Amino acid sequence: MTILPSVFPSLPVAFTGQSLISHAGTQLVSSFIDALGFRELCEDRLGQFTPAGARHRPGTLLGQLALMLAAGGEHVSDLDMFRTQAGVFGTVASNATVSRFFDRTAANPDAFAHGAQTLTRLLRTRVWDAAGEHSPGARATPADPVIIDLDATLVASHSDKERVAGDYKGGYGFAPFTASIDYGTKHGTGEILACLLRPGNAGANNADDHIEVFTTAVNQLPDGFFHPDGTLNGKNILVRTDSAGASRKFLWHLHHAGAQFSVSYPVPAGKAHMVDWISDKQYWEPALDAEGNDRTDAWVINATDVITLKDYPPGTNIYLRAEPLHPGAQPTLLDIDGHRITAFLTNSPRWRGPFLDARHRGRGRCENRIKTLKNTGLGKLPFASFTANQAWATISALASNLISWLQLSTIPATHRARFWDVKRFRYRLFATAGKLTRHGRKTTLLLPELAPEKNLIITINDAITSLAERQPEAALR
């Protein structure tokens, strides 16, 4: 009988006391956190949540938690991966210390929310300044505004936690409502502005929830989006939602804030007969594909003169999109001439229907940002307390943003890593192993010469060094 060789080399395993570092690549994120002046900003905004003489300050606690979630941890106990490698990650707080910190945030949720929001606003300002002309704020104009996507998701709970409830899919848990910025297909992934935790039975089309998450989101934008009196200058902002955001109350709120909107709109069955001229394409324009090219089987038209909109903000237009049913799609009574009709409302100053339609359909990218948010902590809410879980969701958003901000401010716009999701970051960069060496009273972290992403690691480290040199010594504003 022939004995086949093993798939992999068969090696004996032994343990050593050498300073071997797993996940040494996450040092990129820890250096980035320090370069932003994170510790000082946290002390200023959240210092009340730790005792005056405490060894572990808010900056240390939040920074280590965010780093752990960005690296793939899911529970507070996963901090032990860093706790055993103090030479790279510093002294890590015990699980009990972290638990007491969350107890204090749960007892003062409004104070923590305000501190965390103002902290994130300052961090975002510094990152966007570092990104220069590539930042969303620098590119924003009324014709090409910053796009804020609002969307809800579901998070299952496998135990009876505070304010959990059954959801419309038959599950049990929470229904967080998120707001995120879309960087667009040419600039990167995007970042989280707000994550509002809600019970699982929260209504999808609740206008008050839309207003709350929108207000929380825009309050974390840099100063350039506000007038000198502190009111929002919304002309460079576009809010994009599914049909749950099409309520008149919410759209009027956006109108009064001066913001643009692009929201899906369910065509009422009673008005379906108004689009029975679908077969006559002389009034329609070809829709655009993801690359901006004309499609031959999908069309768009401004139907404001055909479908009357009542009590909507002035300047609101309705656009229809017609395309053949996708394979496997179930026909409905509203499908005209074998075409599926969808609609969206917008008050955009741009009038070319195909462009507005393509921009609205880009809303699907927010699902990727929500997936990343779940992969950086939102997917497993660990506490019984609802307010503690809201604080965890806020830190999860910070962890997600650290990856996005690192991409935005340290990676060249043309590099493929600018568009990686967090799982690819973990495998290609964070999983890089290292070793600590000490020579001449200097400690050095050695990484493999043959690391696949060696050049990218060098590029990011150089950009982080430059970012740290630009920060004010006080690191406070």
Side-chain angles (χ1 to χ4, degrees):
M1 179 178 179
T2 303
I3 300 177
L4 297 177
S6 302
V7 176
F8 301 105
S10 179
L11 302 174
V13 175
F15 292 90
T16 177
Q18 296 185 50
S19 299
L20 305 179
I21 307 298
S22 63
H23 296 85
T26 54
Q27 184 265 346
L28 294 170
V29 182
S30 62
S31 297
F32 182 64
I33 290 173
D34 286 335
L36 292 173
F38 187 84
R39 182 185 179 93
E40 292 80 8
L41 290 174
C42 279
E43 189 64 35
D44 180 61
R45 303 295 166 173
L46 299 169
Q48 70 270 35
F49 290 98
T50 54
R55 178 183 180 186
H56 297 285
R57 307 305 304 163
T60 303
L61 291 170
L62 264 66
Q64 291 171 346
L65 282 168
L67 180 64
M68 177 268 292
L69 292 173
E74 295 182 330
H75 308 279
V76 171
S77 59
D78 289 336
L79 284 170
D80 59 4
M81 292 297 294
F82 296 155
R83 193 173 290 117
T84 59
Q85 302 173 17
V88 175
F89 302 111
T91 303
V92 178
S94 67
N95 295 345
T97 299
V98 176
S99 179
R100 287 192 293 269
F101 174 78
F102 277 100
D103 286 342
R104 286 187 285 269
T105 66
N108 299 279
D110 292 339
F112 179 80
H114 176 74
Q117 289 167 18
T118 54
L119 166 68
T120 306
R121 180 176 179 175
L122 290 170
L123 292 171
R124 179 170 288 109
T125 299
R126 292 182 176 181
V127 171
W128 287 15
D129 286 347
E133 63 181 8
H134 298 295
S135 75
R139 302 193 308 268
T141 65
D144 289 295
V146 167
I147 297 177
I148 299 178
D149 286 315
L150 306 187
D151 201 7
T153 188
L154 297 176
V155 173
S157 175
H158 301 287
S159 60
D160 195 19
K161 300 175 182 178
E162 184 180 6
R163 296 182 65 181
V164 293
D167 58 55
Y168 71 97
K169 288 188 175 181
Y172 185 71
F174 301 95
F177 202 175
T178 68
S180 60
I181 292 178
D182 184 10
Y183 288 168
T185 57
K186 298 181 180 179
H187 300 284
T189 52
E191 60 187 79
I192 304 298
L193 284 173
C195 181
L196 173 66
L197 198 60
R198 306 180 303 167
N201 60 356
N205 58 349
N206 188 310
D208 291 333
D209 284 351
H210 280 76
I211 292 172
E212 181 179 357
V213 76
F214 167 75
T215 303
T216 302
V218 296
N219 284 341
Q220 295 183 64
L221 293 174
D223 292 342
F225 287 88
F226 295 85
H227 295 293
D229 63 356
T231 58
L232 179 68
N233 179 14
K235 64 181 181 179
N236 293 343
I237 296 172
L238 181 139
V239 176
R240 195 166 57 182
T241 78
D242 56 16
S243 58
S247 66
R248 293 175 177 83
K249 181 178 180 180
F250 178 54
L251 297 185
W252 274 103
H253 180 84
L254 296 179
H255 171 75
H256 291 312
Q260 302 178 45
F261 56 79
S262 180
V263 301
S264 297
Y265 179 73
V267 179
K271 296 182 179 180
H273 68 281
M274 297 182 180
V275 294
D276 58 5
W277 32 268
I278 183 69
S279 59
D280 188 354
K281 299 300 184 300
Q282 64 174 317
Y283 302 109
W284 296 65
E285 296 180 84
L288 301 178
D289 61 20
E291 286 72 38
N293 302 315
D294 288 349
R295 288 184 56 177
T296 59
D297 59 348
W299 302 268
V300 181
I301 192 171
N302 185 340
T304 309
D305 294 335
V306 178
I307 300 179
T308 303
L309 297 174
K310 185 178 180 181
D311 298 330
Y312 281 91
T316 301
N317 291 286
I318 179 171
Y319 287 83
L320 301 181
R321 175 189 177 91
E323 61 183 335
L325 293 178
H326 296 292
Q330 295 297 318
T332 70
L333 294 176
L334 299 182
D335 296 333
I336 309 296
D337 191 29
H339 291 75
R340 175 64 48 87
I341 306 296
T342 57
F344 67 97
L345 306 178
T346 183
N347 63 347
S348 173
R350 301 183 68 160
W351 286 84
R352 185 166 182 256
F355 167 82
L356 297 175
D357 172 69
R359 184 170 70 179
H360 181 71
R361 288 170 66 83
R363 197 190 71 82
R365 288 192 293 269
C366 75
E367 298 293 341
N368 292 330
R369 293 188 288 278
I370 291 176
K371 180 179 69 174
T372 295
L373 183 57
K374 288 184 175 181
N375 285 329
T376 55
L378 184 64
K380 291 188 177 180
L381 300 170
F383 302 105
S385 165
F386 181 84
T387 50
N389 280 327
Q390 175 64 74
W392 180 269
T394 300
I395 298 172
S396 298
L398 174 61
S400 175
N401 285 340
L402 286 173
I403 306 298
S404 299
W405 290 342
L406 191 72
Q407 292 172 301
L408 180 67
S409 61
T410 68
I411 300 177
T414 57
H415 197 286
R416 66 191 186 283
R418 191 76 173 266
F419 305 92
W420 286 354
D421 66 9
V422 67
K423 287 187 176 181
R424 190 160 179 81
F425 248 88
R426 289 168 181 166
Y427 190 77
R428 301 291 297 184
L429 287 178
F430 297 167
T432 304
K435 180 179 180 179
L436 285 181
T437 64
R438 294 173 177 83
H439 181 72
R441 298 183 180 180
K442 182 179 181 180
T443 303
T444 302
L445 176 61
L446 298 181
L447 300 180
E449 179 70 31
L450 297 179
E453 302 300 339
K454 173 186 173 182
N455 292 335
L456 178 58
I457 292 173
I458 293 173
T459 298
I460 294 176
N461 264 324
D462 290 345
I464 290 174
T465 300
S466 177
L467 174 62
E469 292 173 349
R470 292 199 298 269
Q471 296 305 326
E473 289 185 7
L476 293 175
R477 297 184 183 181

